[in-house]
Amino acid sequence: MSFLKEIERRRTFGIISHPDAGKTTLTEKLLLFGGAIQEAGAVKNNKIKKGATSDFMEIERQRGISVATSVLAFIYKDKKINILDTPGHKDFAEDTFRTLTAVDSVIVVIDVAKGVEEQTEKLVEVCRMRKIPMIVFINKLDREGKDAFDLLDEVEQKLGLTVTPLSFPIGMGYDFKGIYNIYEKKLNLFSNENKQTVSKGIEFTDISTPELDKIIGEKSAKTLREELELVNEVYPEFNKQEYLNSELQPVFFGSALNNFGVKELLDCFIQIAPSPQPKKAEERLIDSKEDQLTGFVFKIHANMDPNHRNRLAFIKIVSGTFKRNAPYLHIRLNKKLKFSSPNTFFAEKKEIIDESFPGDIVGIPDTGNFKIGDTLTEGEILNFKGIPSFSPEHFRYVNNADPLKAKQLFKGLDQLMDEGVAQLFTLDLNGRKVIGTVGALQYEVIQYRLEHEYGAKCSYENLNVYKACWVDPENPKNEEFKEFKRIKQRYLAKDKQGKLVFLADSAFSLQMTQDKYPTVKLHFTSEF
Ligand code: G4P
């Protein structure tokens, strides 16, 4: 197959949702269609259940699973589908944000009864900002839930999207009769008996025919006609380009658990979802069709075996063909490296591969060469953008609890930070180290992993920080910046890249600082 055809047939995307909306179930059903798994239940639930915060075996088990399910690839109707897993737990939100830099589109899953939830809002906001094309799947129609129109309103208002339904439910919960597929003009009837078989759907180009009344009953037929008329009047017509520009979001309804509405979603997805998109580097825009290899690391996963501290770096191929044993330039290290055993992911397996194409994810065993955000090329100096650090929500001093193991502690912290588990700041005043995280759970993960993988012990001490702000002086030489540095010395630190960070202890002091030093810009992300 030609290089261009390989690119065109790839669909690399992520599924995002609030925990429990049905992301795992939907993923599994998509894999079933791809023939990548044979039966339901094969994809392990990759989430940390509520209340499991101190259960480290659980965390370890989850980490094991998440290597296997980090990338799930399969072929469907000759399209190569790569699903990138995104952890649903909010304490791992950074991981999800980084994964979103490697997808070309997303599917947003929403629970029909719960509507738009907090985690969905946060993740969709990131996708909106990055103009990632989104399809919305409203799940669990077999249960009582919100009215479809109310839900569409909620999606528009809370998520700031412009939606257009491409399917519409006929009843819900106990009365759920099926779905009218607006995109294909087909009727799909729901049967409670044979849950896993997929009905072909009945062609129904003209819903005014009395045939419809015979099939779903007069009352439901009347309601459906009225509702579809309303859909027609209220919502814009689907336009593929608008969807690709992230200006319009198609909505599907269904029940992942019952495998209902999933095939419609997938069939439409492969037709409209984008193949690998151009990506911005600091230097220029790189098109996926360029023949020179470029790619970047968006995720690093520590190996499960504590005796071998090697890791797996996940690289998204942006352009060109990735070849086993070919020399590639590691931009940050300015070093050519060859990779003898790059892994590809297929269904739940990973295996060594000779060639990969744009859109694919390659897993490279690594002993410490890679950090999140690193770029590989064939020689051109390029740095892919868009993997910023966000201000953490929690801050604690980290202390060495075993003086004989200082080296191990330092190395462990260094590597865990490269993996993106948390952020490390070093205070200017006294060199003390501060760990910043998105969720409290990470502190326990770090402590556990330092001990089990590096033989080091740490303890924490509370530190009152409201936000970490990356400092961006308009003029580093002016008096104002010098005064800022002198007066605020106690609150200044460096991040791992050596960038200056202001650790504000309250919203009030942050505001005061901004007012007092207007030429010193403070940002909540490391890229601005
Ligand atoms: P997540 O990955 O988004 O966190 O959600 P997951 O797929 O694990 O689904 C959360 C729960 O919702 C699961 O039930 C799952 O079976 C259920 N679910 C998913 N899709 C549907 C649907 O279409 N209809 C109904 N009625 N339920 C659905 P659980 O009891 O938490 O877990 P399990 O014991 O079934 O695995």
Side-chain angles (χ1 to χ4, degrees):
M1 196 177 292
S2 76
F3 176 57
L4 291 182
K5 278 217 170 99
E6 288 286 6
I7 298 175
E8 199 286 318
R9 73 197 277 254
R10 274 164 172 74
R11 302 284 182 273
T12 303
F13 74 106
I15 304 180
I16 56 176
S17 72
H18 192 86
D20 276 348
K23 183 165 68 75
T24 312
T25 314
L26 179 65
T27 307
E28 185 173 282
K29 296 298 142 94
L30 293 174
L31 288 174
L32 274 172
F33 283 117
I37 51 170
Q38 303 310 321
E39 58 188 279
V43 178
K44 310 289 179 306
N45 217 336
N46 178 19
K47 61 182 172 182
I48 295 174
K49 296 257 184 211
K50 286 183 210 85
T53 42
S54 327
D55 186 348
F56 295 111
M57 284 327 288
E58 179 65 11
I59 292 172
E60 285 298 278
R61 195 182 65 81
Q62 299 286 359
R63 287 209 303 128
I65 293 167
S66 65
V67 170
T69 60
S70 282
V71 184
L72 293 158
F74 61 92
I75 310 273
Y76 179 74
K77 295 193 174 165
D78 205 35
K79 297 281 188 279
K80 165 92 187 285
I81 317 264
N82 295 316
I83 307 181
L84 307 195
D85 185 50
T86 54
H89 195 290
K90 72 171 178 19
D91 285 9
F92 295 94
E94 285 248 17
D95 226 10
T96 300
F97 293 145
R98 285 190 291 258
T99 299
L100 290 178
T101 61
V103 302
D104 294 304
S105 70
V106 304
I107 293 179
V108 184
V109 182
I110 290 173
D111 182 323
V112 70
K114 296 198 177 132
V116 173
E117 295 173 89
E118 188 196 342
Q119 200 59 12
T120 323
E121 277 186 61
K122 285 194 185 152
L123 295 170
V124 166
E125 193 185 332
V126 173
C127 296
R128 233 183 36 224
M129 272 160 40
R130 296 192 186 151
K131 298 204 176 318
I132 301 175
M134 287 178 255
I135 296 181
V136 178
F137 181 73
I138 296 181
N139 190 27
K140 307 196 185 179
L141 262 286
D142 57 316
R143 284 201 188 156
E144 275 325 308
K146 299 188 182 184
D147 169 77
F149 287 108
D150 288 349
L151 209 51
L152 291 170
D153 271 358
E154 188 177 327
V155 169
E156 291 211 315
Q157 270 156 33
K158 283 202 182 160
L159 299 179
L161 304 181
T162 306
V163 299
T164 186
L166 287 188
S167 77
F168 211 81
I170 306 167
M172 74 167 63
Y174 184 73
D175 283 331
F176 184 50
K177 294 212 161 63
I179 278 169
Y180 183 71
N181 183 339
I182 302 175
Y183 188 66
E184 290 188 352
K185 299 203 175 1
K186 272 185 187 166
L187 187 69
N188 277 61
L189 295 178
F190 180 66
S191 115
N192 235 335
E193 281 90 58
N194 203 350
K195 288 188 169 174
Q196 304 307 333
T197 48
V198 182
S199 79
K200 272 218 162 89
I202 313 163
E203 294 273 354
F204 243 103
T205 27
D206 177 14
I207 55 153
S208 65
T209 68
E211 201 55 20
L212 185 69
D213 302 61
K214 276 192 213 144
I215 298 174
I216 60 173
E218 232 171 83
K219 200 167 150 234
S220 297
K222 185 167 172 271
T223 314
L224 178 67
R225 287 186 192 112
E226 284 166 5
E227 286 178 334
L228 289 180
E229 206 177 305
L230 200 57
V231 166
N232 233 336
E233 281 167 18
V234 176
Y235 296 100
E237 204 175 321
F238 175 69
N239 175 306
K240 185 171 163 184
Q241 198 51 49
E242 286 174 8
Y243 153 71
L244 292 175
N245 297 345
S246 193
E247 292 158 1
L248 182 68
Q249 287 76 27
V251 179
F252 284 86
F253 291 83
S255 165
L257 188 65
N258 295 297
N259 208 352
F260 195 79
V262 178
K263 186 171 181 295
E264 288 70 27
L265 172 74
L266 183 59
D267 282 338
C268 177
F269 173 82
I270 57 165
Q271 282 183 46
I272 67 170
S275 50
Q277 295 295 292
K279 183 140 185 99
K280 260 193 198 145
E282 270 165 38
E283 295 75 7
R284 64 182 185 87
L285 188 72
I286 288 84
D287 195 281
S288 57
K289 298 180 190 73
E290 293 181 22
D291 56 0
Q292 297 252 321
L293 174 102
T294 64
F296 66 95
V297 178
F298 67 95
K299 180 181 179 125
I300 291 180
H301 213 296
N303 201 296
M304 287 288 90
D305 180 357
N307 298 323
H308 300 94
R309 218 175 281 142
N310 58 341
R311 314 180 289 180
L312 206 58
F314 289 77
I315 296 185
K316 160 98 188 263
I317 311 295
V318 176
S319 67
T321 308
F322 181 97
K323 294 197 172 93
R324 188 157 80 98
N325 281 324
Y328 294 122
L329 180 64
H330 184 308
I331 302 289
R332 184 175 51 84
L333 301 181
N334 189 22
K335 210 159 93 180
K336 287 243 170 166
L337 300 172
K338 284 183 185 177
F339 308 104
S340 59
S341 41
N343 289 287
T344 180
F345 302 86
F346 202 81
E348 299 144 283
K349 294 190 281 291
K350 67 178 172 45
E351 46 197 40
I352 292 184
I353 189 164
D354 288 321
E355 278 192 333
S356 280
F357 299 98
D360 283 342
I361 310 300
V362 178
I364 296 185
D366 172 45
T367 46
N369 280 324
F370 286 112
K371 274 189 196 179
I372 284 172
D374 278 346
T375 302
L376 283 183
T377 72
E378 291 192 24
E380 186 178 349
I381 307 295
L382 290 176
N383 289 282
F384 283 107
K385 292 167 66 140
I387 311 200
S389 303
F390 294 86
S391 173
E393 308 273 325
H394 303 258
F395 297 84
R396 289 184 198 171
Y397 284 119
V398 54
N399 297 323
N400 185 5
D402 181 350
L404 296 175
K405 299 283 170 64
K407 227 172 97 185
Q408 285 86 336
L409 180 77
F410 192 71
K411 180 159 189 185
L413 280 176
D414 200 49
Q415 296 207 345
L416 291 179
M417 300 304 133
D418 283 353
E419 260 183 55
V421 176
Q423 292 179 58
L424 192 70
F425 302 99
T426 308
L427 290 185
D428 274 7
L429 194 63
N430 52 18
R432 286 192 74 179
K433 307 262 182 229
V434 172
I435 292 183
T437 66
V438 176
L441 181 55
Q442 260 94 339
Y443 289 104
E444 299 179 45
V445 174
I446 292 168
Q447 213 165 30
Y448 178 87
R449 288 189 55 193
L450 282 172
E451 195 170 335
H452 288 80
E453 293 170 36
Y454 299 90
K457 284 203 169 92
C458 77
S459 64
Y460 300 115
E461 217 178 294
N462 276 336
L463 175 66
N464 179 31
V465 175
Y466 162 68
K467 279 262 177 338
C469 313
W470 279 265
V471 181
D472 174 26
E474 268 172 25
N475 179 0
K477 291 205 177 99
N478 75 6
E479 281 310 312
E480 192 173 304
F481 183 53
K482 282 186 196 150
E483 189 190 313
F484 165 83
K485 284 209 294 193
R486 192 167 46 80
I487 303 284
K488 298 291 172 191
Q489 195 189 18
R490 236 159 41 89
Y491 302 98
L492 293 180
K494 298 279 185 328
D495 75 0
K496 231 183 142 239
Q497 276 69 46
K499 288 187 187 161
L500 188 63
V501 175
F502 172 59
L503 302 175
D505 57 3
S506 67
F508 177 71
S509 87
L510 176 60
Q511 188 59 50
M512 292 285 286
T513 309
Q514 276 171 326
D515 292 346
K516 191 153 180 222
Y517 306 102
T519 68
V520 180
K521 298 274 176 285
L522 300 173
H523 302 275
F524 292 140
T525 62
S526 65
E527 262 187 25
F528 34 81

